[in-house]
């Protein structure tokens, strides 16, 4: 009898929490709130690993690596480029209406499309590069996950890999030029976040005792590094990810995962609104960037929304949510089966 893998709504709820926390961070909150939500990217990456594991346990057939990469490219990079095109065209039109010089130069546009360096271009889209880097290594991480039945052996390999990653980080300040930029933004980012995704692939296989042990272990690591770094913000250890930043993100992520196992708490978040955000998280993320820049360029005109981070967050989140909802409606209408007709034996859209 074929084993049916039941959908874990905790994954969707956590994905919703992560994307809302990211938008909150981009609304320029106070230092304490900014620090408290600084688990969001780690949580998203952890869920990428868990989702990849769950989706591949259902598949009877595997696709070739080139075909897989093509699908990941279309799902992650192509939508990013489509959004960037809409973004730059929109603000070009706004600059014409306002009669002002265009807000971005060629380097801004080029670096945004390349996603080479998170500090260049319009920013914000660097996370899609991280997601694609994880996609590059996910099939290999899954094979590693399947090879070792013992959780102890599997995590010993991850710990050893992190030691190697930490040693590579020591090389980063020594390197110079474009190779240093490539090394940091692709090699270090890929390995650092790849290890988090690898942990996520094992998440569903952990016993309660192991899950609690890892949660406490990450908490102890975070507290130690907090003392060691004189309670400096974990944000300073994010690019590329270091253990201080990772330990905080992992502790909060696992803690939330445990809390959501409580039926009453899970039921509070298990609704259509949360599921909509979770299922449209990528486009919600894209659209919120437009409203960030509207406040950046026209903060005086939007002063009622730009006075404090609460109103900024409400403006950015609600506007992005509305656009995402309209976008989702149009997408469903365009690709709904009732909108398709048969032409010469092929399916086309009216």
């Amino acid at each position: 009898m074929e084993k049916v893998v039941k959908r874990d709504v905790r994954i969707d709820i956590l994905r919703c929490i992560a994307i809302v926390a990211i938008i909150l961070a981009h609304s320029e909150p106070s230092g304490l709130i900014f620090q408290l939500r600084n688990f969001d990217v780690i949580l998203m990456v952890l869920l990428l690993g868990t989702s990849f594991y769950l989706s591949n346990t259902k598949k009877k057939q595997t696709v070739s690596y080139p075909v897989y990469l093509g699908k990941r490219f279309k799902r992650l990079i192509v939508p990013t480029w489509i959004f960037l095109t809409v973004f730059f065209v929109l603000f070009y039109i706004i600059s014409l209406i306002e009669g002002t010089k265009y807000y971005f130069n060629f380097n801004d546009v080029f670096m945004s499309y390349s996603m080479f360096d998170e500090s260049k271009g319009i920013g914000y889209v660097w996370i899609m590069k991280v997601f694609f880097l994880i996609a590059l290594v996910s099939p290999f991480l899954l094979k590693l996950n399947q090879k070792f039945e013992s959780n102890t052996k599997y995590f010993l390999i991850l710990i050893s890999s992190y030691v190697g990653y930490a040693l590579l980080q020591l090389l980063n300040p020594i390197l110079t030029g474009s190779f240093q930029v490539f090394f940091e933004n692709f090699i270090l980012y890929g390995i650092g976040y790849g290890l988090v995704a690898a942990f996520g692939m094992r998440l569903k296989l952990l016993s309660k005792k192991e899950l609690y042990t890892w949660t406490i272990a990450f908490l102890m690591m975070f507290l130690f590094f907090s003392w060691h770094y004189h309670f400096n913000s974990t944000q300073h250890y994010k690019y590329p990810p270091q253990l201080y930043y990772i330990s905080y993100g992992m502790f909060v992520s696992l803690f939330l995962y445990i809390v959501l196992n409580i039926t009453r708490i899970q039921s509070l978040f298990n609704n259509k609104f949360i599921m909509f955000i979770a299922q449209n998280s990528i486009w919600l993320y894209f659209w919120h960037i437009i409203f960030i820049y509207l406040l950046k360029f026209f903060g005086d005109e939007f002063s009622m929304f730009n006075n404090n981070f609460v109103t900024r967050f409400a403006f950015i989140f609600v506007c992005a949510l509305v656009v995402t909802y309209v976008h989702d409606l149009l997408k469903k209408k365009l690709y709904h089966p009732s909108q398709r007709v048969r032409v010469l034996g092929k399916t086309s859209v009216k």
Side-chain angles (χ1 to χ4, degrees), residues 21-297:
I22 290 172
I23 295 175
L24 180 69
H26 295 165
S27 304
E28 301 177 14
S30 63
L32 178 60
I33 296 175
F34 189 83
Q35 169 54 41
L36 289 175
R37 49 57 44 189
N38 207 20
F39 61 88
D40 42 26
V41 174
I42 291 293
L43 178 55
M44 288 291 281
V45 173
L46 185 76
L47 296 177
L48 283 179
T50 306
S51 299
F52 189 83
Y53 165 78
L54 291 174
S55 63
N56 281 275
T57 56
K58 302 177 184 179
K59 292 181 180 178
K60 295 181 180 179
Q61 296 180 340
T62 57
V63 298
S64 66
Y65 187 66
V67 172
Y68 161 79
L69 281 189
K71 290 182 177 180
R72 293 292 92 189
F73 187 86
K74 290 179 182 178
R75 185 174 177 83
L76 296 171
I77 304 302
V78 172
T80 305
W81 287 346
I82 291 174
F83 164 73
L84 286 171
T85 302
V86 172
F87 177 91
F88 287 119
V89 169
L90 173 64
F91 278 96
Y92 179 71
I93 294 173
I94 292 175
S95 69
L96 292 178
I97 295 173
E98 290 286 312
T100 59
K101 183 181 178 182
Y102 189 45
Y103 310 103
F104 307 99
N105 57 39
F106 175 79
N107 188 62
D108 293 330
V109 176
F110 176 78
M111 294 304 294
S112 297
Y113 278 96
S114 70
M115 294 177 280
F116 200 77
D117 187 345
E118 77 280 346
S119 64
K120 306 292 175 57
I122 67 168
Y124 303 108
V125 294
W126 71 275
I127 195 171
M128 303 309 297
K129 172 191 69 179
V130 170
F131 290 171
F132 187 67
L133 289 174
I134 294 168
L136 291 177
V137 299
S138 286
F140 306 105
L141 295 176
L142 183 64
K143 287 183 178 180
L144 180 69
N145 182 54
Q146 294 169 338
K147 184 176 181 180
F148 294 93
E149 293 185 5
S150 168
N151 287 339
T152 301
K153 290 181 180 179
Y154 181 78
F155 286 119
L156 281 175
I157 291 173
L158 293 191
I159 292 170
S160 301
S161 299
Y162 184 84
V163 172
Y165 167 68
L167 293 175
L168 287 176
Q169 285 182 315
L170 297 177
L171 291 176
N172 195 36
I174 302 174
L175 303 175
T176 57
S178 58
F179 180 73
Q180 187 275 332
V181 177
F182 174 82
F183 180 79
E184 177 178 313
N185 284 273
F186 289 88
I187 304 300
L188 293 184
Y189 276 61
I191 297 174
Y193 286 110
L195 289 172
V196 175
F199 191 105
M201 290 185 184
R202 205 71 173 192
L203 186 60
K204 298 291 292 182
L205 300 178
L206 296 180
S207 65
K208 282 188 177 181
K209 182 180 178 180
E210 290 172 321
L211 185 58
Y212 294 155
T213 300
W214 275 109
T215 305
I216 294 171
F218 281 120
L219 174 60
M220 293 298 103
M221 279 186 262
F222 166 66
L223 293 175
F224 169 77
F225 284 113
S226 295
W227 169 79
H228 179 72
Y229 290 119
H230 307 288
F231 300 96
N232 202 2
S233 172
T234 56
Q235 182 72 12
H236 301 303
Y237 304 86
K238 183 177 180 178
Y239 307 106
Q242 298 178 42
L243 193 53
Y244 181 30
Y245 168 74
I246 292 173
S247 62
Y248 176 72
M250 289 297 295
F251 160 65
V252 177
S253 299
L254 296 180
F255 176 76
L256 291 173
Y257 183 78
I258 292 171
V259 169
L260 285 172
N261 199 39
I262 302 172
T263 305
R264 288 187 178 181
I265 295 178
Q266 187 180 125
S267 62
L268 290 174
F269 294 92
N270 189 7
N271 56 64
K272 291 182 179 180
F273 179 71
I274 298 295
M275 294 303 120
F276 174 81
I277 294 176
Q279 293 162 12
N280 294 276
S281 57
I282 287 181
W283 279 104
L284 179 63
Y285 181 82
F286 285 146
W287 294 130
H288 97 284
I289 298 172
I290 288 177
F291 298 100
I292 289 174
Y293 271 90
L294 283 176
L295 290 182
K296 282 185 177 182
F297 294 143

